[in-house]
Amino acid sequence: MASTLLWLVRHATHTRVASVLCGRMADVGLDEAGHAQAARLADRLMRESPRALYASPQRRACETAEGVALRCGLPAAVAPDIDEIDFGDWTGLTFATLHDDPLWQRWNDARATVRPPRGESMAEAQDRVLRWAWCLRARHPGGTVVAVSHADVIKAALAGILGLSLDCHARFEIAPASISAVALWEGGAKVLQVNETVA
């Protein structure tokens, strides 16, 4: 059976992307630069002729997907399994505030085992996104699919396919408005590209 091509897209930028751990904060939308990035993403992804488009429930992901939906003539379906990690008590805190928290430091050193307080582990996020990807392959055999998600969720998916520990998360970059690609087939998968940027 032909492989399914999955384009994993990180949402475009917003005003708090470098300063706040937004996680699942409500109403974090794209800024002007982010909307421009999303338009360039739409132009880039249109060349791939996707058959389906999915987005995390977060506003910034849905707004990024809107441009792709219009450009490609596809509805954007909301997919909770590609939602951002639930950062629990850390949600909405600035990175400056988190910097001196020993648990935050452990989280960044040991993503395979540490979880945010009252939140979701990266391993749990990896399980849900990979389960979703395999179900997607069955729904769209041989098709091309775009999924707009978040940096850590995309890293978790790529690490799972590559057989890497989640502790390796800092060894590769997933920038805002970047595109990574994986191929999925019966019994296997491979990473085709990582962190292609259009902005």
Side-chain angles (χ1 to χ4, degrees):
M1 184 177 291
S3 62
T4 297
L5 181 59
L6 174 60
W7 294 93
L8 293 165
V9 178
R10 184 181 176 188
H11 63 78
T13 197
H14 54 85
T15 58
R16 290 174 275 200
V17 73
S19 59
V20 176
L21 183 64
C22 294
R24 296 184 180 182
M25 279 176 62
D27 294 325
V28 178
L30 304 184
D31 59 12
E32 185 176 347
H35 283 290
Q37 286 179 336
R40 290 191 291 274
L41 273 173
D43 288 342
R44 167 67 182 86
L45 291 166
M46 185 187 68
R47 301 201 309 263
E48 303 302 328
S49 302
R51 295 185 191 173
L53 171 63
Y54 297 88
S56 153
Q58 300 308 314
R59 179 180 163 192
R60 57 197 184 275
C62 291
E63 288 182 353
T64 301
E66 283 173 8
V68 179
L70 287 172
R71 198 81 172 91
C72 297
L74 291 170
V78 173
D81 286 333
I82 58 173
D83 199 354
E84 176 63 288
I85 292 174
D86 182 354
F87 288 104
D89 293 346
W90 290 340
T91 302
L93 296 182
T94 65
F95 294 119
T97 298
L98 288 164
H99 183 266
D100 294 325
D101 183 336
L103 184 58
W104 172 254
Q105 294 170 4
R106 285 175 47 218
W107 158 260
N108 285 301
D109 290 338
R111 290 286 181 93
T113 54
V114 177
R115 78 169 53 241
R118 295 197 296 177
E120 175 186 37
S121 72
M122 196 164 175
E124 289 168 331
Q126 183 181 65
D127 285 346
R128 64 175 161 82
V129 69
L130 288 177
R131 273 197 318 270
W132 177 84
W134 286 113
C135 290
L136 185 84
R137 190 206 63 78
R139 284 198 303 273
H140 304 284
T144 298
V145 179
V146 173
V148 183
S149 187
H150 305 269
D152 281 344
V153 177
I154 294 170
K155 285 185 175 189
L158 296 175
I161 291 168
L162 291 168
L164 297 175
S165 167
L166 290 171
D167 294 347
C168 298
H169 73 97
R171 296 184 186 178
F172 52 97
E173 180 69 18
I174 299 296
S178 68
I179 305 168
S180 300
V182 301
L184 304 159
W185 62 90
E186 184 69 36
K190 65 180 175 181
V191 174
L192 302 175
Q193 71 176 53
V194 177
N195 198 45
E196 175 193 344
T197 56
V198 296

